[in-house]
Amino acid sequence: MAEAERIIGTPDIPEAEGHEGAEPEQTAGSGSPEAVEPDGQDADSAAADAAVDRSPATRRRRIILLFCVAVLAYLLDLGSKMLVVAKLEHQEPIEIFGDWLKFDAIRNAGAAFGFGEAFTIIFTIIAATVIVVIARLARKLYSLPWAIALGLLLGGALGNLTDRIFRAPGVFEGAVVDFIAPAHFAVFNLADSAIVCGGILIVLLSFKGLDPDGTVHKD
């Protein structure tokens, strides 16, 4: 019997199968942990960036939207001021909701809501700077909410800057026309409202981690 076993021999067994219960070697891309992204957050960010449409057509649409919002805000502000100057200035205030809200035309040489009347030229420079910054941001604008926010800022800044340039007492020293007078609050205009709404929207977008180019990041 022993001689027969010696003659027949023992069949060769592959090394991988020589040990019972041994696991086959895993290769890259086979679902092993090494194939998974080391940082899930980075993977999510990369996927979000890839989903952003950064085509030239998208950027053109966002820029068009920005300027449409800006033009609408500017025209509403300009038209309301022209109407106020023609019909309300030097007249008694008009009550809208009793003493809670009135239309009362005043000339404001300061910033929004009547602050800083001694720094008219400085506020004029700030408004012009805001317009330049918005124009530069528009070159990498792919986010719809950012287009609306920047449009509101641009329209409001242009509205008040127009007053600074063309109204008395002189160029770059003109007083802004304000007329919305809530009770226990400063008098303001539609340009101020557009600037505040645009600023609040930008703060919210920043908290959400959304950048003007459409990138979403998480701190």
Side-chain angles (χ1 to χ4, degrees):
M1 187 68 178
E3 184 66 17
E5 290 179 355
R6 183 184 65 79
I7 295 174
I8 297 174
T10 303
D12 294 334
I13 301 176
E15 183 178 353
E17 299 176 357
H19 302 282
E20 183 177 356
E23 295 182 357
E25 182 179 358
Q26 293 179 336
T27 58
S30 62
S32 65
E34 289 79 8
V36 179
E37 290 288 341
D39 191 341
Q41 181 175 339
D42 292 343
D44 293 340
S45 299
D49 291 345
V52 176
D53 183 1
R54 291 194 174 90
S55 65
T58 298
R59 185 169 66 89
R60 284 195 298 269
R61 287 195 296 268
R62 299 297 180 259
I63 293 175
I64 291 173
L65 176 62
L66 186 157
F67 284 107
C68 285
V69 173
V71 168
L72 178 60
Y74 177 76
L75 291 179
L76 288 175
D77 178 68
L78 182 62
S80 65
K81 289 174 179 175
M82 293 175 63
L83 185 61
V84 165
V85 170
K87 302 295 184 180
L88 187 58
E89 199 167 32
H90 308 302
Q91 304 294 328
E92 290 296 321
I94 299 176
E95 294 185 356
I96 305 302
F97 294 109
D99 292 334
W100 291 99
L101 178 63
K102 299 180 181 180
F103 285 167
D104 186 12
I106 67 169
R107 297 295 181 109
N108 171 24
F113 309 113
F115 298 115
E117 294 186 4
F119 303 98
T120 305
I121 296 180
I122 295 177
F123 293 132
T124 303
I125 295 173
I126 292 174
T129 302
V130 168
I131 294 171
V132 173
V133 170
I134 292 174
R136 291 177 63 86
L137 283 175
R139 296 185 301 178
K140 57 177 182 179
L141 182 63
Y142 295 94
S143 168
L144 178 64
W146 270 94
I148 296 173
L150 293 177
L152 290 171
L153 281 181
L154 180 59
L158 286 173
N160 284 339
L161 184 61
T162 300
D163 284 359
R164 304 288 187 195
I165 295 175
F166 295 106
R167 296 193 186 278
V171 178
F172 299 118
E173 297 180 353
V176 174
V177 176
D178 290 335
F179 62 94
I180 304 174
H184 313 297
F185 196 72
V187 184
F188 59 97
N189 56 42
L190 294 183
D192 297 334
S193 301
I195 291 171
V196 171
C197 291
I200 292 174
L201 182 54
I202 287 176
V203 171
L204 294 176
L205 294 174
S206 299
F207 273 119
K208 292 181 64 176
L210 179 61
D211 293 335
D213 63 356
T215 301
V216 179
H217 60 84
K218 297 180 180 179
D219 297 331

